[in-house]
């Protein structure tokens, strides 16, 4: 059937979209599919692809008979393209995997090759090293043989005579065969020549063996590690000593080993120049299983040192202070020095006014409240040219430590007693300080210009304290003075000069300085400032010193008049600038050579003080822990934070605070110091809920702002009276109020009634006093207290009343108690809380 027949095949329609079959030799070759868009030839199943279907050409459409139903030509074409892309991707993955496998094989081959090369190099290096060792051993054997021959040569020379005939006979006698002696000597020399040449070559090789060559540097010879120069020198020394025949052991070096209280094992071995393993082994033999990093005590270290043949030198941490040596001055170097006079006495007896009259100054006007609250140091030149150094101490009870320091550094004590007030508590304390210090005393009876002055009363009362003045046939000088009118000042200065002349005060100004801190403060512009009284030597600008837990370098020296000076000799009070911190009043100042020494001493003292404070505050036993816990529970505390202008005032305030309190309440000073109130002080006070007390100091702007934000109270004081009184009042507020009972009446039960919703009610008559609704009651039966409580109801007739007077009848019901009987007595009382104060 063909298209020319004009008939359409069965089931096949013509026109666009029809399918035409073509025949070749009676067999169907392909099906031509005509669409509206394009004409595509799809091969029949089982028929080879035409050339147009080769790769690279457009894919051909599948047989419509094998195409799933509902699949369009476009969808079929898309699927065929996706299939061809998947096959192409699979082919690329296979090619990539093959390439990676080939690369891995190459890498494995390269690594095997490198390993073989490395093994070959290692074998060559070991062979070279072995050959070198054999060469060294051969050279060593030849050297030994040469030394043996050299040792035997002198003996042979001595045995062989100079005469040839005699030499021949001697050789034959030693065992040579006859007729060969003449030829033996040349052969012996020939044997010696090669040995000599070989020995020189061996020595040269051994000398060159320690040198680094370019080949060794590139190959990292001997495993990349070379012997040090010191090791090579030691080896050469050993070889030289061995060649000289000295096989004696080296003499052991005995060392002086410094051992502190505890020392690390490795450090001990280093100080002895011994191996650490040997030291550890010795310790283990002693039964101590320790390692090289563990500490041992000094006694154990001493046993180890003695075992190794060394000498022990025991040292301690306090040895750092050995640089501060006590110098014994020669009598030829001592020169006269001014006396140091301390003014002591009761408060408001005119000590500072008396000193102002002597100095023609006015210090009292600058003191708050007109009382001295600092210790002052001044130097006065009298009309006669004598130089006097005065120390003015406070008279208030809180400044006991200041008066004690003044008495310890002084030569003469002037005891000021008011003629109108006589002997007072601080006067007695000053007498005791002077006696404890062992210094002479001069009594100045002040205020003799007042109408009610009675100097004889003062002299008489001083007898009670074993102070006998010259007017009472004693040995203590007394002078009647008046600071206001100037009466008796000349006699007082004359008495001081006479006492100083008797004492013959001398010091050596040509030595390192030594002094005592009279007062210390933290100045805003100048930093820590210490008032120092030089006791010996001369303190110069630039000196390095240590004072207590602080150290520094003298930056400036300021005298009592405010002038800067270059140096200060004995008995001269000066202000010292250049400290790294504020020292404690009473600390000793010592000049040292270097800054490192001063810093080391300061650190040791600081650590010692910290350990001491920790030991004092620590509870070591269970009983102490329990007692401390019980005390903390029962005792109320008032925490405060104190900042003062000078160190002495801060100490005096702390001592006064410690005296405030009893078994129920106490004042605890969290922190005290000198200088302005800072932000850190406010933070500490806020964390502890404590107020901040400023004595003659103020808070800076940041501290004030922080205090306002956190609600911390800051109180300022300039007089210690007010400070102590306010703190005492605040501590009194922590005391629990005292409860007192006041009996207000008695009632007798006549009859007992039972009332619904109320219980048992007692019909009573008030026999004494009054009954109140809110009062407490006790039920007495045969004068024995049966119940104590409160009233539930108090009625008169049917009305609830607050109070029933004596002689009236009423009804009473107890709160939660019904066991009441006729003829019982009700005791009525009120409780009153009374505030307590600290005495």
């Amino acid at each position: 059937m063909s298209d020319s027949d004009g008939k359409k095949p069965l089931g096949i329609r013509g026109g666009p979209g029809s399918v035409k079959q073509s025949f070749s030799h009676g067999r169907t070759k392909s099906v031509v599919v005509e669409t509206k868009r394009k004409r595509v030839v799809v091969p029949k199943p089982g028929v080879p692809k035409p050339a147009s279907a080769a790769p690279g050409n457009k894919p051909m459409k599948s047989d419509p008979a094998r195409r799933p139903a509902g699949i369009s030509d476009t969808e079929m074409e898309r699927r065929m393209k996706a299939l061809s892309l998947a096959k192409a991707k699979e082919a690329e993955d296979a090619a990539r995997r093959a390439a990676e496998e080939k690369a891995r094989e190459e890498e494995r081959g390269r690594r095997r090759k490198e390993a073989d090369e490395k093994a070959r190099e290692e074998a060559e290096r070991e062979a070279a090293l072995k050959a070198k060792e054999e060469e060294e051993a051969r050279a060593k054997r030849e050297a030994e043989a040469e030394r043996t021959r050299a040792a035997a040569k002198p003996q042979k020379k001595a045995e062989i005579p100079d005469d040839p005939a005699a030499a021949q006979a001697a050789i034959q006698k030693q065992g040579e065969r006859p007729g060969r002696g003449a030829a033996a000597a040349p052969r012996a020399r020939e044997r010696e020549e090669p040995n000599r040449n070989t020995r020189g070559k061996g020595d040269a090789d051994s000398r060159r063996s320690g040198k680094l060559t370019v080949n060794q540097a590139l190959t990292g010879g001997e495993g990349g590690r070379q012997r040090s120069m010191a090791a090579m020198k030691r080896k050469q020394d050993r070889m030289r000593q061995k060649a000289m025949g000295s096989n004696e052991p080296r003499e052991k070096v005995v060392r002086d080993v410094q051992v502190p209280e505890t020392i690390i094992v490795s450090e001990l071995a280093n100080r002895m120049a011994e191996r650490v393993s040997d030291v550890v082994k010795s310790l283990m033999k002693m039964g101590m299983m320790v390692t090289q990093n563990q500490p041992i005590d000094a006694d154990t270290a001493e046993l180890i040192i003695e075992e190794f043949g060394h000498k022990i030198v025991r040292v301690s941490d306090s040895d750092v202070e050995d640089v501060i040596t006590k110098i014994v001055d020669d009598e030829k170097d001592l020169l006269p020095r001014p006396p140091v006079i301390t003014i002591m006495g009761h408060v408001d007896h005119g000590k500072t006014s008396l000193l102002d009259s002597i100095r023609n100054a006015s210090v009292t006007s600058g003191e708050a409240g007109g009382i001295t609250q600092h210790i002052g140091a001044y130097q006065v030149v009298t009309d006669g040219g004598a130089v006097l150094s005065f120390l003015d101490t406070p008279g208030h009870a809180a400044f006991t430590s200041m008066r004690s320091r003044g008495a310890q550094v002084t030569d003469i004590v002037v005891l000021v007693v008011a003629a109108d007030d006589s002997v007072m508590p601080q006067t007695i304390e000053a007498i005791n300080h002077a006696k404890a210090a062992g210094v002479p005393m001069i009594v100045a009876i002040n205020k003799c210009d007042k109408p009610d002055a009675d100097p004889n009363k003062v002299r008489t009362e001083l007898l009670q304290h074993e102070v006998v003045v010259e007017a009472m046939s004693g040995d203590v000088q007394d002078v009647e003075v008046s600071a206001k009118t100037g009466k008796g000042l000349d006699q007082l200065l004359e008495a001081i000069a006479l006492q100083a002349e008797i004492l013959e005060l001398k010091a050596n100004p040509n030595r390192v300085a030594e002094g005592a801190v009279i007062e210390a403060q933290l100045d805003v512009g100048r930093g820590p400032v210490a008032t120092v009284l030089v006791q010996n030597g001369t303190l110069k600008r630039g000196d390095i010193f240590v004072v207590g837990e602080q150290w520094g370098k003298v930056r400036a020296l300021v005298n009592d008049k405010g002038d800067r000076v270059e140096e200060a000799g004995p008995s001269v009070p000066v202000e010292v600038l250049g400290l790294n911190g504020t020292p404690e009043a009473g600390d000793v100042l010592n000049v040292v050579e270097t800054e490192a020494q001063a810093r080391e001493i300061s650190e040791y003292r600081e650590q010692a003080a910290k350990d001491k404070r920790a030991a004092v505050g620590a509870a070591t036993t269970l009983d102490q822990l329990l007692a401390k816990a019980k005390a903390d529970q029962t005792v109320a505390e008032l925490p405060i934070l104190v900042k003062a202008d000078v160190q002495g005032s801060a100490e005096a305030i702390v001592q006064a605070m410690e005296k405030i309190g009893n078994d129920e309440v106490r004042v605890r000073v969290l922190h005290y110091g000198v200088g302005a109130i800072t932000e850190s002080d406010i933070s500490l006070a806020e964390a502890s809920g404590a107020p901040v007390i400023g004595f003659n100091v103020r808070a800076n702007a940041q501290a004030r702002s922080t205090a306002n934000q956190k609600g911390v109270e800051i109180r300022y004081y300039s007089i210690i009276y007010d400070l102590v009184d306010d703190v005492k009042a605040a501590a009194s507020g922590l005391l629990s109020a005292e409860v007192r009972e006041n009996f207000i009446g008695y009632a007798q039960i006549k009859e007992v009634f039972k009332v619904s919703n109320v219980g048992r009610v007692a019909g009573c008559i008030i026999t004494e006093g009054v009954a109140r609704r809110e009062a407490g009651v006790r039920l007495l039966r045969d004068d024995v207290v049966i119940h104590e409580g409160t009233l539930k109801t108090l009625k008169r007739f049917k009305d609830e009343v607050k109070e029933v007077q004596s002689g009236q009848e009423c009804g009473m019901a107890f709160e939660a108690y019904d066991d009441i009987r006729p003829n019982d007595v009700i005791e009525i009382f009120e409780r009153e809380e009374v505030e307590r104060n600290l005495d």
Side-chain angles (χ1 to χ4, degrees):
M1 188 171 61
S2 66
D3 295 339
S4 58
D5 295 340
K7 297 181 180 179
K8 298 178 181 180
L10 184 65
I12 300 175
R13 292 183 299 177
S18 62
V19 178
K20 295 182 180 181
Q21 292 183 355
S22 61
F23 299 91
S24 176
H25 304 286
R27 299 173 61 183
T28 302
K29 240 181 5 174
S30 61
V31 178
V32 180
V33 180
E34 293 182 356
T35 63
K36 293 180 180 180
R37 296 183 179 178
K38 55 185 176 180
R39 185 171 181 269
V40 181
V41 179
V42 181
K44 279 279 196 175
V47 181
K49 288 184 179 181
S52 60
N57 297 331
K58 293 182 180 180
M60 302 191 63
K61 294 183 181 180
S62 60
D63 187 3
R66 299 180 61 184
R67 183 189 310 167
I71 301 298
S72 64
D73 294 342
T74 305
E75 179 64 19
M76 192 66 186
E77 184 179 0
R78 185 185 65 79
R79 290 187 180 186
M80 295 298 292
K81 286 182 179 180
L83 179 61
S84 62
L85 290 175
K87 289 182 178 180
K89 185 176 180 180
E90 184 178 357
E92 289 177 0
D93 292 343
R96 186 176 66 253
R97 284 195 297 271
E100 290 177 355
E101 184 65 24
K102 184 178 180 181
R104 281 195 294 271
E105 288 292 335
E106 293 177 354
E107 179 66 19
R108 283 195 291 269
R110 186 181 61 81
R111 289 182 180 178
R112 283 195 298 270
K113 185 178 180 181
E114 289 179 356
D116 294 341
E117 291 179 357
K118 188 174 182 180
R120 185 170 59 256
E121 291 177 358
E122 187 69 23
E124 293 176 355
R125 188 181 298 109
E126 290 179 357
L129 183 61
K130 186 175 181 181
K132 184 178 178 181
E133 291 177 353
E134 291 177 354
E135 181 68 21
E136 290 179 355
R138 184 179 61 77
K140 186 176 181 181
R141 288 195 299 272
E142 291 178 355
E144 290 289 344
E146 180 64 24
R147 280 197 297 272
T148 304
R149 285 194 296 271
K153 276 182 182 180
Q155 185 177 0
K156 290 181 179 180
K157 277 187 178 181
E159 292 176 357
I160 297 175
D162 295 335
D163 186 13
Q168 182 69 20
I171 291 172
Q172 291 178 0
K173 187 177 180 180
Q174 290 177 3
E176 294 289 336
R177 285 180 294 176
R180 297 189 60 182
R187 283 198 298 271
R189 284 194 298 271
E190 289 175 2
R191 284 196 303 270
E192 290 178 1
E193 288 297 331
N195 291 338
R196 195 177 296 113
N197 296 335
T198 305
R199 183 171 63 254
K201 184 178 179 181
D203 292 344
D205 292 340
S206 63
R207 286 196 300 272
R208 292 192 186 96
S209 63
K211 294 183 179 180
L212 181 66
T213 63
V214 176
N215 192 20
Q216 288 177 346
L218 292 176
T219 59
E222 297 188 7
R225 183 174 180 179
Q226 299 293 335
R227 301 182 68 180
S228 64
M229 185 63 68
M232 296 300 298
K233 287 182 179 179
R234 287 195 297 270
K235 181 180 178 182
Q236 291 177 359
D237 292 341
R238 288 195 298 270
M239 292 180 65
R240 189 180 300 111
Q241 291 177 1
K242 196 170 183 181
M244 293 175 63
S246 59
N247 295 325
E248 299 178 359
R250 289 185 301 169
E251 183 179 356
K252 186 176 182 65
V253 179
V254 179
R255 292 179 170 83
D256 293 334
V257 183
Q258 293 186 351
V259 178
E261 297 175 358
T262 58
I263 186 171
I264 305 297
V265 175
S266 59
E267 178 64 21
L268 177 62
N270 291 336
R271 294 186 182 186
M272 293 191 301
E274 302 287 350
R275 290 187 297 182
V276 180
S277 59
D278 294 340
V279 178
V280 173
K281 189 184 299 181
S282 298
L283 287 168
M284 289 185 176
K285 288 180 181 179
M286 295 169 57
M288 297 183 62
M289 300 300 160
V290 297
T291 63
Q292 63 178 355
N293 297 323
Q294 290 180 332
I296 58 175
D297 60 293
D299 295 336
T300 306
E302 183 176 2
L303 297 176
I304 296 296
I305 292 169
E306 290 176 354
E307 182 178 347
F308 281 89
H310 300 289
K311 296 179 181 179
I312 185 172
V313 179
R314 285 182 177 265
V315 296
S316 62
D317 295 338
S318 60
D319 291 342
V320 297
E321 295 190 353
D322 290 345
V323 297
I324 304 175
T325 56
K326 295 293 183 181
I327 301 176
V328 180
D329 297 317
D330 193 355
E331 290 291 336
K332 299 182 297 183
D333 300 331
L334 298 179
L335 300 176
R337 66 172 178 85
V340 180
I341 303 101
T342 300
I343 309 294
M344 303 179 73
H346 192 70
V347 62
D348 203 24
H349 276 202
K351 299 181 297 298
T352 307
S353 300
L354 182 62
L355 187 56
D356 288 345
S357 300
I358 296 174
R359 297 176 60 238
N360 294 323
S362 180
V363 176
T364 308
S365 60
E367 295 285 356
I371 63 171
T372 301
Q373 301 180 104
H374 307 85
I375 186 168
Y378 313 99
Q379 201 163 36
V380 178
V381 180
T382 62
D383 295 337
V387 180
L388 306 175
S389 297
F390 284 95
L391 296 180
D392 185 18
T393 60
H396 188 265
F399 298 100
T400 302
S401 57
M402 285 191 185
R403 287 189 291 274
S404 177
R405 285 196 299 273
Q408 290 170 0
V409 300
T410 190
D411 300 317
I412 302 170
V413 170
V414 175
L415 181 64
V416 179
V417 185
D420 60 341
D421 204 12
S422 192
V423 178
M424 298 298 288
Q426 271 63 59
T427 308
I428 301 171
E429 183 187 301
I431 294 172
N432 295 333
H433 285 316
K435 288 181 179 179
V439 294
M441 187 189 311
I442 298 174
V443 178
I445 304 174
N446 197 16
K447 300 185 180 180
C448 289
D449 57 319
K450 286 194 172 184
D452 54 348
D454 189 359
N456 291 326
K457 181 183 177 183
V458 174
R459 297 186 180 98
T460 305
E461 291 188 0
L462 287 175
L463 292 174
Q464 301 176 9
H465 306 286
E466 300 178 358
V467 178
V468 185
V469 298
E470 291 180 346
M472 308 290 287
S473 300
D475 56 354
V476 178
Q477 300 182 74
D478 64 313
V479 183
E480 296 181 7
V481 297
S482 174
K484 188 174 182 180
T485 62
K487 173 189 174 183
L489 295 182
D490 295 336
Q491 289 83 351
L492 179 61
L493 295 176
E494 184 180 350
I496 293 173
L498 177 61
Q499 190 66 54
E501 187 177 350
I502 295 172
L503 295 175
E504 295 182 356
L505 303 171
K506 293 183 179 180
N508 181 13
N510 301 317
R511 51 162 286 182
V512 293
E514 180 180 344
V517 177
I518 303 301
E519 193 59 274
Q521 61 180 340
L522 185 63
D523 194 280
V524 177
R526 300 184 296 173
V529 179
T531 302
V532 177
L533 178 66
V534 181
Q535 295 173 313
N536 216 336
T538 302
L539 184 63
K540 302 176 183 178
R541 193 163 67 89
D543 283 347
I544 299 170
F545 63 89
V546 59
V547 50
E549 301 176 20
Q550 311 298 334
W551 68 277
K553 184 176 182 181
V554 180
R555 195 171 73 238
L557 296 172
V558 182
N559 60 14
D560 60 319
K561 298 178 179 62
D563 301 330
R564 292 205 172 194
V565 294
E566 290 296 322
E567 60 182 25
S571 301
V572 177
V574 288
E575 287 185 344
V576 179
L577 281 70
L579 293 100
N580 71 323
T582 307
E584 300 287 336
D587 288 342
V588 178
L589 182 143
N590 296 101
V591 174
V592 295
E593 294 181 359
T594 63
E595 216 172 276
Q597 292 177 349
R599 190 182 294 108
E600 190 175 8
I601 295 171
S602 172
E603 291 175 355
Y604 162 71
R605 290 179 177 177
E606 186 177 358
Q607 185 62 38
K610 189 183 297 183
D611 295 342
K612 185 177 180 181
R613 288 191 295 268
V616 170
T620 56
T621 65
L622 181 59
D623 293 339
Q624 291 176 347
L625 287 170
L626 293 174
K628 186 175 184 298
K630 185 177 179 181
D632 292 341
Q633 291 176 359
T634 57
V635 179
E637 286 187 346
L638 173 64
I640 61 172
L641 192 144
V642 178
K643 294 299 286 290
D645 55 343
V646 294
Q647 189 71 35
S649 298
E651 290 181 359
I653 292 170
V654 172
Q655 292 174 2
M657 296 300 103
E658 291 175 352
K659 296 177 182 178
I660 297 175
N662 54 18
D663 296 338
E664 299 180 28
V665 65
R666 65 185 177 190
V667 178
R668 184 163 65 98
V669 180
L670 297 175
H671 171 70
Y672 74 94
V674 296
I677 300 172
T678 61
E679 198 169 355
S680 60
D681 298 330
I682 301 299
S683 300
L684 176 60
E686 189 263 340
S688 306
V692 180
I693 294 177
F695 187 75
N696 287 331
V697 295
R698 294 293 181 268
N700 55 34
Q702 294 85 354
R704 288 196 299 270
S705 175
T706 306
N708 292 333
Q709 293 175 2
K710 297 183 178 181
V712 177
E713 182 183 9
I714 302 177
R715 291 193 177 188
Y716 301 118
Y717 296 93
S718 58
I719 301 175
I720 197 168
Y721 296 128
D722 301 335
L723 190 154
V724 174
D725 292 342
D726 286 359
V727 174
K728 188 178 293 185
S732 299
L734 297 178
L735 289 172
S736 58
E738 182 181 355
V739 179
R740 295 179 182 176
E741 290 185 358
N742 298 324
F743 296 96
I744 60 175
Y746 289 92
Q748 185 175 8
I749 300 176
K750 294 296 185 179
E751 191 62 48
V752 177
F753 306 96
K754 191 171 183 181
V755 180
S756 60
N757 299 330
V758 176
R760 296 169 67 87
V761 177
C764 309
I765 183 172
I766 307 300
T767 58
E768 183 180 347
V770 64
R772 293 194 178 94
R773 172 69 179 81
E774 66 276 3
V777 291
R778 291 190 184 96
L779 181 65
L780 305 179
R781 184 173 300 162
D782 297 330
D783 295 330
V784 177
V785 177
I786 302 300
H787 172 70
E788 180 177 348
T790 58
L791 290 176
K792 181 166 63 173
T793 179
L794 177 63
K795 290 189 176 182
R796 179 163 170 77
F797 299 106
K798 294 183 179 181
D799 300 328
E800 187 77 24
V801 294
K802 293 183 178 180
E803 183 177 291
V804 178
Q805 297 294 329
S806 175
Q808 296 179 352
E809 294 182 350
C810 62
M812 294 185 188
F814 290 89
E815 189 75 41
Y817 189 77
D818 288 339
D819 186 16
I820 53 178
R821 301 176 186 176
N823 297 324
D824 287 348
V825 177
I826 299 175
E827 184 181 73
I828 308 163
F829 63 90
E830 286 183 343
R831 288 187 176 91
E832 179 185 5
E833 291 186 354
V834 181
E835 292 185 359
R836 299 162 59 195
N837 295 320
L838 291 171
D839 296 334

